[in-house]
Amino acid sequence: MEGASLDAVKAWVQQTRHIAVLTGAGISAESGVPTFRDAQTGYWAQFRPEDMATEAGFRAHPQRVWDWYQYRRDLLTGVAPNAGHQALAVFAQQYPDRLTLITQNVDGLHQRAGSVGVLCLHGDIFENRWLDAPRNCCDIDHAVAGHPPYCDRCGNLLRPGVVWFGEALPFATLEAAQHAAHTCDLMLVVGTAGAVYPAAGLAHQARAAGARVVVVNPAPSELDGTAHGVLHGTAAEVLPQLFGAG
Ligand code: OAD
């Protein structure tokens, strides 16, 4: 890793034709959304997210896992996008062809800030889908309310529309993200520990394809060694400075 100053990275942003931004839970921290591994407080502290965010975890304890997602959905309805989400949305509105936004987050805050075409690698926490392949009787609009809701004919359960550990990412979304990684001139990696693949692999792909890679994170991340520069600040502090007009 080479050093990079905020001014140097800002110049790269201004000069670069195509920027890919990969975000993780850290970009929503200043909105009051706990990061994935910090989220377990109160009643939920006794469970490991890595055990619950799996198909096996859901099948073993459907009510517990459903209620955990409901708790997180409720938490999200009370928060708002922050200056980091907003800076990216405003830049993309000004320069629609220059920025591809890829996120591991399921919280919808990029979209609520006004970003369109966000590549959501890990799904959307506010969507539901059937746990088992839907049969003719399975109709999401008529699922019986419950924890989780279910089909009253066959008992199929609804599950959150997120990607769990061990599951494949949505193919077309991953393909679009990989295309952006291969074609961008600059990749910013914002607020992710860089520990979960294939998302973290996008930074390696971008670097291998010749892009500059810059990490924005107040703490060390596993992608620091891949980056040309690391900006040790928070997303809501750094992104408005990088993408602002001034
Ligand atoms: P993590 O919770 O693993 O990491 C959050 C990162 O955000 C850490 O590196 C923090 O240092 C950083 N951070 C904290 N506050 C920040 C701030 N204000 N500004 C910028 N950065 C900040 O979250 P992710 O890396 O996003 O996957 O986790 C990746 C995936 O692992 C998640 O999408 C989820 C999880 O398992 C699935 O559910 C499939």
Side-chain angles (χ1 to χ4, degrees):
M1 174 188 61
E2 304 147 32
S5 68
L6 187 81
D7 286 342
V9 180
K10 182 166 181 172
W12 293 347
V13 167
Q14 286 169 343
Q15 293 155 9
T16 295
R17 196 174 37 83
H18 184 204
I19 306 167
V21 180
L22 171 66
T23 66
I27 194 170
S28 297
E30 286 153 286
S31 290
V33 183
T35 60
F36 194 72
R37 288 163 190 82
D38 289 342
Q40 303 306 89
T41 55
Y43 170 75
W44 297 108
Q46 61 189 304
F47 306 112
R48 292 175 67 232
E50 292 85 348
D51 294 336
M52 290 201 286
T54 63
E55 183 182 326
F58 185 78
R59 287 188 187 278
H61 302 285
Q63 173 161 0
R64 176 194 299 164
V65 176
W66 179 263
D67 286 348
W68 183 54
Y69 277 93
Q70 284 302 115
Y71 156 77
R72 291 168 60 204
R73 287 167 168 167
D74 291 346
L75 195 145
L76 287 171
T77 58
V79 306
N82 64 54
H85 301 104
Q86 283 155 1
L88 294 172
V90 169
F91 183 85
Q93 281 153 12
Q94 287 172 335
Y95 306 102
D97 301 328
R98 288 182 56 202
L99 191 138
T100 301
L101 182 50
I102 307 161
T103 189
Q104 299 166 84
N105 299 344
V106 296
D107 58 26
L109 289 176
H110 283 303
Q111 295 89 328
R112 283 168 57 189
S115 286
V116 292
V118 185
L119 298 174
C120 297
L121 295 175
H122 293 164
D124 179 343
I125 198 171
F126 291 103
E127 286 183 2
N128 290 321
R129 59 188 170 86
W130 293 107
L131 177 62
D132 293 316
R135 302 157 187 109
N136 287 341
C137 54
C138 297
D139 177 355
I140 285 199
D141 295 333
H142 293 100
V144 180
H147 300 248
Y150 59 95
C151 173
D152 62 351
R153 301 285 296 279
C154 71
N156 202 355
L157 301 178
L158 280 186
R159 56 161 281 181
V162 300
V163 175
W164 280 331
F165 290 105
E167 293 183 330
L169 275 59
F171 181 76
T173 307
L174 179 60
E175 204 173 48
Q178 286 171 334
H179 178 74
H182 282 115
T183 55
C184 69
D185 310 295
L186 172 65
M187 175 174 278
L188 295 182
V189 180
V190 183
T192 177
V196 173
Y197 284 75
L202 295 168
H204 298 287
Q205 289 165 21
R207 170 119 196 185
R212 285 187 173 116
V213 176
V214 175
V215 165
V216 178
N217 198 316
S221 86
E222 296 193 19
L223 292 172
D224 292 1
T226 306
H228 295 88
V230 178
L231 296 176
H232 284 298
T234 72
E237 285 165 8
V238 172
L239 293 182
Q241 297 183 66
L242 291 182
F243 288 94

